[in-house]
Amino acid sequence: MRIVTCIAPVNIAVIKYWGKRNEELILPINDSISASLDTNQMCAKTTVMISPDFESDRIWLNGREESIDNKRLQRCIQEIRKRVAVSGGTLSEEICQWKIHICSENNFPTAAGLASSAAGYACLAAALAKLYDFTGNISEIARLGSGSACRSVYGGFVRWYMGSDPTGRDSIAKQIAPETHWPEMRIIVLVVNDSKKKVSSAIGMKRSVETSKLLEYRAKHVPQKVEEMHQAILDKNFSKFAELTMRDSNQMHAVCLDTFPPCFYLNDISCTIIQLINAYNSAFDSIKVAYTNDAGPNTVLYLLEENVPLVLGLIDFFFPPSTISGQLYKKGNPPESITPTKKLLEKIDLQPQPIGSIRNIIYTRIGCGSTQLQNPSEHLLDNNGLPKNIQYL
Ligand code: PMV
């Protein structure tokens, strides 16, 4: 038997992917850029195992067995097997035919706009690549699972090049700068609601491609924005980076509203956070924080370390935490909050929101890409190929 375990990061796009030109191969209508977040706070972990003793392919996600007949999942497995066979890899044909068991876990809410599928498929692709000694481009395999997953293969700042080849061979991710490039950069994830979202990003973006004129406009203008963002990252130009990030998030959600029927991903709390950040930046007459939202209400802030204590103080003031949740409210060891002055609060001029509007806060930084874990105790499957942690319902 062979067994491999990998972890992969969540990535949060600063120039978004929204819309495919090819649904089957998951080819986007524009390049996108993201940062991969530290796997210590948020990651997917996946164990893959093949054995001549397994009777069928099986998968467990977050402790529950799921159907293996998932089209995207099958594509990743089949594509890797096919390519390994064509390139005459190191494993015999017989071994490549052994049945596979897959077990994957996230340490953060799934399907709530927190890029869980991105981390999951990047992790699966990385683990399969090691399992089958695949030497090709892992981001291309991850993309077949979930478009944004191709960016989670790498650490630091990552660009997904849309490519032009009809086969998708050049629609791959590349690192712009490693995780050490901008050490002052911090990320605060505000978990507003971790219940399952209503319209998946796959359905939402398909509907946008079919109905939104604004998306046509966006596709024409994103190339310029991508180049500007790429440069802002290389230059570590925070205000440029932050303005582009906020504008791009706003535009993606404007496209969602321009979609018919419209898709709503932001809720009142996300909108109030956006107002707070804009008011804070205006109060200082300088862009110190950027917000961005994917296909869900959770809002992610990008900011430099020096501004974290005051921003946390403002969040504490305007979004008082519930004291009865029992869970750790702030994860990732953030610094002490600074209580905002009366003068600043007057300038911001917002109403505090009901207690518990923000469920929890994850404080993190930029991190590395998918990584193999060498210690056998890290495997999620036991020697019989069954999950060590199973959730019996
Ligand atoms: O990879 P998907 O299908 O989950 O698409 C997600 C797209 C956004 O998260 C909304 C934006 C992005 O670029 O990550």
Side-chain angles (χ1 to χ4, degrees):
M1 62 96 155
R2 282 170 72 85
I3 184 164
V4 172
T5 298
C6 286
I7 53 169
V10 162
N11 75 73
I12 299 294
V14 290
I15 299 289
K16 308 286 184 194
Y17 146 56
W18 194 255
K20 299 178 184 65
R21 64 180 196 278
N22 181 321
E23 285 279 329
E24 202 56 28
L25 294 172
I26 313 198
L27 302 178
I29 58 170
N30 58 263
D31 288 17
S32 53
I33 295 181
S34 59
S36 292
L37 308 190
D38 188 348
T39 49
N40 285 315
Q41 269 71 51
M42 295 167 86
C43 75
K45 183 177 181 185
T46 303
T47 297
V48 289
M49 183 173 177
I50 47 173
S51 162
D53 300 333
F54 293 166
E55 285 167 7
S56 58
D57 293 339
R58 293 174 78 179
I59 183 165
W60 292 263
L61 296 177
N62 293 312
R64 287 172 61 170
E65 182 155 19
E66 305 275 343
S67 166
I68 193 88
D69 290 325
N70 170 314
K71 204 171 133 205
R72 291 175 173 212
L73 175 68
Q74 286 299 333
R75 256 213 108 119
C76 292
I77 303 173
Q78 300 315 335
E79 194 64 27
I80 270 215
R81 282 182 175 154
K82 194 173 90 193
R83 293 207 194 173
V84 167
V86 169
S87 67
T90 55
L91 301 187
S92 70
E93 221 172 281
E94 191 201 333
I95 293 181
C96 288
Q97 293 310 317
W98 287 351
K99 299 293 179 199
I100 188 166
H101 284 190
I102 302 169
C103 187
S104 189
E105 285 175 3
N106 290 326
N107 60 354
F108 58 93
T110 52
L114 278 181
S116 55
S117 65
Y121 276 109
C123 204
L124 177 73
L128 289 174
K130 288 278 176 206
L131 189 76
Y132 291 109
D133 283 342
F134 171 73
T135 50
N137 190 295
I138 299 177
S139 80
E140 205 193 329
I141 305 295
R143 193 200 74 227
L144 296 172
S146 166
S148 58
C150 71
R151 298 186 311 240
S152 273
V153 169
Y154 302 104
F157 293 90
V158 183
R159 175 165 173 179
W160 174 12
Y161 290 83
M162 64 182 282
S164 56
D165 191 313
T167 65
R169 276 283 165 124
D170 57 355
S171 190
I172 53 174
K174 291 182 188 167
Q175 188 179 66
I176 296 176
E179 56 277 16
T180 48
H181 169 69
W182 205 341
E184 306 82 11
M185 186 66 92
R186 293 292 177 276
I187 293 98
I188 299 175
V189 180
L190 302 170
V191 182
V192 168
N193 179 349
D194 57 9
S195 63
K196 217 171 148 70
K197 67 189 172 221
K198 291 188 193 108
V199 179
S200 71
S201 52
I203 292 176
M205 66 176 84
K206 182 163 188 282
R207 208 191 280 171
S208 296
V209 168
E210 286 163 2
T211 64
S212 170
K213 283 272 171 230
L214 186 54
L215 185 57
E216 287 174 26
Y217 170 89
R218 172 174 164 77
K220 285 197 195 103
H221 292 82
V222 171
Q224 164 81 21
K225 286 202 285 186
V226 168
E227 295 311 328
E228 286 177 31
M229 179 60 90
H230 194 134
Q231 198 55 46
I233 291 169
L234 293 179
D235 297 344
K236 295 196 259 182
N237 179 343
F238 185 82
S239 60
K240 183 82 184 168
F241 167 88
E243 183 173 341
L244 286 166
T245 298
M246 292 186 282
R247 283 178 176 272
D248 195 66
S249 176
N250 294 346
Q251 192 181 61
M252 187 198 105
H253 291 279
V255 166
C256 291
L257 281 185
D258 187 49
T259 296
F260 196 78
C263 304
F264 302 98
Y265 293 115
L266 307 179
N267 66 15
D268 286 354
I269 299 303
S270 339
C271 292
T272 312
I273 297 167
I274 292 172
Q275 277 176 285
L276 170 63
I277 300 306
N278 280 305
Y280 171 78
N281 288 335
S282 301
F284 286 92
D285 208 9
S286 126
I287 302 186
K288 288 176 177 287
V289 189
Y291 57 79
T292 185
N293 280 79
D294 284 338
N298 301 320
T299 304
V300 177
L301 308 180
Y302 278 95
L303 70 172
L304 299 179
E305 189 181 13
E306 61 192 15
N307 297 316
V308 170
L310 184 51
V311 168
L312 286 176
L314 286 166
I315 293 168
D316 289 344
F317 182 85
F318 288 106
F319 302 93
S322 160
T323 47
I324 52 161
S325 92
Q327 269 191 344
L328 185 64
Y329 175 67
K330 285 183 189 163
K331 297 176 182 160
N333 290 323
E336 280 290 308
S337 307
I338 291 181
T339 307
T341 60
K342 212 168 154 234
K343 204 168 143 215
L344 178 60
L345 290 174
E346 274 165 16
K347 277 193 187 171
I348 286 181
D349 192 24
L350 270 177
Q351 286 305 310
Q353 299 300 298
I355 288 173
S357 300
I358 291 182
R359 206 167 285 189
N360 61 279
I361 293 177
I362 305 167
Y363 176 65
T364 188
R365 57 187 75 202
I366 313 275
C368 45
S370 60
T371 314
Q372 183 177 5
L373 302 181
Q374 301 292 351
N375 190 333
S377 69
E378 296 283 1
H379 296 320
L380 298 173
L381 293 168
D382 64 19
N383 288 340
N384 299 317
L386 294 173
K388 292 179 185 169
N389 304 314
I390 192 145
Q391 192 179 310
Y392 293 102
L393 292 176

